[in-house]
Amino acid sequence: MSETDFVSRDIRSGRLDQIDYDSNFEDLHAPLNHHEAVVEAERCYFCYDAPCMTACPTSIDIPLFIRQISVDNPIGSAKTILNQNILGGMCARVCPTETLCEEVCVREEAEGKPVKIGQLQRYATDHLMAETNEHPFKRAASTGKRVAVVGGGPAGLSCAHRLAMHGHDVVIFEAREKSGGLNEHGIAAYKTTHNFAQLEVEFVLGIGGIKIEHGKALGAAINLTALREEYDAVFLGLGLGNTNGLGLTGEDNDGCLDAVDYIEKLRQTDDLSTLEVGRDVVVIGGGMTAIDIAIQTKLLGAENVTIAYRRGQEAMNASLYEQELAQTHGVVIRHWLQPKALISNDQNQITGIELEYTAQTNDKLEGTGETVKLEADQVFKAIGQKFDSSTLSDAGIDLEARRIKVNEKGKTSLSKVWAGGDCVAGGEDLTVASVEDGKVAAQDIHSFLSR
């Protein structure tokens, strides 16, 4: 769209003083101190058949680890957590506990104030990582078997660690120059501070028997056929490589941006003041990425940030807690609006967006024809990611719903190949779910290698 309803643009860096950048991107939640952790732990009823444990994708024994905190045994508590979830430190920071363990907490049901399970988990795992240099798990004697893990994100790291515990040698092939996947590149900076993602990668590697080769992308430096020939087994933790587009004219214009790419840039910069952000920002989407980019542009100094979502509040993938977090940061969330046209000036720069009101009739979402125009220096696309299957096109692997088809143990249609995380059909787009996928697949790979 070439009309110039809005002609002024204000995109620049250095909108804030350095002290504001530092405070804005500090920990979202201050970690519990010893006294706070013990007091909070004593709120737990230590339920038999605890619903919180059932709600945890990795089946952490939550009552046990909380009881261990209550008797001043944080190291033992951390081991209980990490035995089921080796990335328990990161999950304590980024898990949507409000829709998982804490949502079903008996105290939540009774009084609307659940035990702070996520913060207690962080207290225990942080304590272990800070207080001991010894890895909590011992590596079994070497089996002589070699496994290739493609992707150094949560699924790949979880799989590699469990395989190493069983004595297998693992090589992780990671396309980027830093491992961690979305934990390193895609999660809001205020949720995981002080380089924690890399500290956790180093912690995982501490068990031994795991080597990482960076800059090795599937379909470029490596291919699946060769990996199957060279290694005894292969695990694919590829994540989602592509993002969905708006399908509008002008999508390539200056100012129409991929939210995931911007978050990665933000996460990897050493100086937040160098990041350019608009005065007026519009985010399209209703999931966690939309919330994360909206809050972070606001924290970078954007004056007006609006999330536009095509359905109602109850349909948003982002939890109510995350929606409220955005609103408390000054983000406006507008529902029942879908993008209709991007507005650009004569220099092919985004200056606004036209949105169409929507309505749902008989389970079908339709535009009403009524529109509204918003001024926007930047429009961020946060409408989901999709799996790039082109790197597997010659491998003959079965797909389902455009992702890798696996059974309940992560086994693909190809011999010696397993997969897990976001790249598989039914992937839940949660760090904790990816960790579980990697762990389950590793156990099945170990059974296969032990025949």
Side-chain angles (χ1 to χ4, degrees):
M1 187 170 182
S2 60
E3 68 182 273
T4 55
D5 299 64
F6 311 112
V7 294
S8 63
R9 299 183 83 232
D10 183 3
I11 301 178
R12 52 191 171 89
S13 58
R15 287 185 174 275
L16 306 175
D17 294 330
Q18 189 60 49
I19 191 172
D20 293 323
Y21 286 113
D22 293 340
S23 62
N24 284 355
F25 286 88
E26 193 45 79
D27 256 330
L28 178 62
H29 299 293
L32 300 177
N33 61 35
H34 174 266
H35 175 73
E36 292 169 333
V38 172
V39 170
E40 187 62 27
E42 289 176 349
R43 294 186 61 239
C44 182
Y45 289 138
F46 310 115
C47 306
Y48 179 75
D49 289 338
C52 57
M53 185 174 171
T54 303
C56 174
T58 57
S59 302
I60 293 172
D61 191 335
I62 295 172
L64 175 58
F65 95 67
I66 294 179
R67 183 181 293 277
Q68 289 169 311
I69 291 174
S70 71
V71 297
D72 201 19
N73 182 16
I75 297 294
S77 176
K79 289 180 179 179
T80 297
I81 296 163
L82 298 170
N83 184 59
Q84 292 298 108
N85 181 348
I86 195 59
L87 301 186
M90 181 61 75
C91 289
R93 289 162 165 79
V94 305
C95 260
T97 53
E98 66 276 3
T99 62
L100 295 172
C101 54
E102 293 179 15
E103 182 180 52
V104 298
C105 176
V106 173
R107 280 197 175 272
E108 167 65 20
E109 293 290 329
E111 59 196 58
K113 189 177 180 182
V115 175
K116 297 176 182 177
I117 299 171
Q119 291 191 56
L120 287 172
Q121 180 169 315
R122 175 176 174 178
Y123 170 79
T125 52
D126 280 7
H127 187 90
L128 182 144
M129 292 178 67
E131 297 298 324
T132 179
N133 293 322
E134 183 179 354
H135 198 279
F137 303 106
K138 299 295 183 183
R139 176 168 157 76
S142 176
T143 64
K145 301 292 186 179
R146 301 171 67 240
V147 181
V149 171
V150 184
L157 289 169
S158 173
C159 183
H161 184 271
R162 186 64 55 143
L163 288 168
M165 279 182 62
H166 289 305
H168 308 303
D169 292 323
V170 181
V171 179
I172 298 176
F173 296 97
E174 167 57 42
R176 292 184 171 96
E177 294 305 319
K178 294 175 74 174
S179 302
L182 286 181
N183 287 354
E184 171 61 40
H185 300 281
I187 290 173
Y190 54 81
K191 293 180 179 178
T192 168
T193 59
H194 306 299
N195 203 36
F196 182 78
Q198 289 308 299
L199 293 175
E200 192 169 53
V201 170
E202 294 172 8
F203 169 74
V204 170
L205 299 182
I207 194 170
I210 305 173
K211 176 185 177 183
I212 301 183
E213 295 188 13
H214 293 102
K216 297 291 182 68
L218 189 67
I222 56 173
N223 67 79
L224 185 54
T225 300
L227 292 178
R228 292 174 67 200
E229 293 175 352
E230 185 178 351
Y231 291 85
D232 297 296
V234 179
F235 176 80
L236 302 175
L238 299 170
L240 301 176
N242 292 335
T243 55
N244 294 319
L246 300 174
L248 299 177
T249 300
E251 198 165 339
D252 295 330
N253 286 355
D254 180 19
C256 186
L257 305 169
D258 185 334
V260 174
D261 289 345
Y262 191 91
I263 291 173
E264 178 175 3
K265 184 178 180 181
L266 188 156
R267 285 293 308 275
Q268 298 306 309
T269 186
D270 293 325
D271 185 356
L272 293 171
S273 68
T274 64
L275 292 175
E276 293 188 339
V277 67
R279 178 186 58 206
D280 299 300
V281 171
V282 174
V283 177
I284 306 299
M288 284 306 310
T289 300
I291 297 292
D292 283 353
I293 190 63
I295 293 177
Q296 289 185 114
T297 52
K298 190 70 175 176
L299 295 177
L300 287 171
E303 294 180 17
N304 305 300
V305 180
T306 303
I307 293 176
Y309 179 58
R310 60 180 179 163
R311 300 184 187 273
Q313 180 188 44
E314 69 285 348
M316 292 183 73
N317 286 333
S319 67
L320 288 175
Y321 166 78
E322 292 288 346
Q323 294 177 46
E324 291 171 1
L325 183 65
Q327 291 168 327
T328 59
H329 279 85
V331 175
V332 176
I333 302 178
R334 299 185 63 171
H335 302 99
W336 303 107
L337 286 172
Q338 65 184 8
K340 182 177 182 180
L342 293 168
I343 302 170
S344 304
N345 61 21
D346 294 337
Q347 287 76 48
N348 292 325
Q349 298 169 323
I350 298 296
T351 58
I353 186 169
E354 183 178 10
L355 301 159
E356 181 181 20
Y357 286 95
T358 59
Q360 190 163 320
T361 306
N362 298 324
D363 295 326
K364 184 178 181 181
L365 188 73
E366 297 179 324
T368 65
E370 182 183 1
T371 64
V372 61
K373 294 176 181 177
L374 299 180
E375 190 166 3
D377 305 306
Q378 293 172 314
V379 172
F380 285 97
K381 298 176 287 183
I383 53 176
Q385 294 178 276
K386 55 188 177 182
F387 177 58
D388 180 7
S389 62
S390 63
T391 57
L392 299 170
S393 58
D394 297 330
I397 197 168
D398 287 351
L399 302 179
E400 179 182 336
R402 299 182 180 179
R403 300 191 190 185
I404 301 173
K405 183 179 180 180
V406 296
N407 65 13
E408 70 279 0
K409 295 182 179 180
K411 183 69 177 65
T412 73
S413 61
L414 295 180
S415 63
K416 298 169 52 177
V417 180
W418 285 255
D422 296 343
C423 68
V424 303
E428 297 182 51
D429 193 25
L430 289 174
T431 295
V432 67
S434 294
V435 171
E436 180 68 4
D437 283 356
K439 182 179 71 178
V440 169
Q443 289 298 125
D444 198 49
I445 293 171
H446 174 60
S447 297
F448 168 75
L449 297 177
S450 300
R451 293 174 184 172

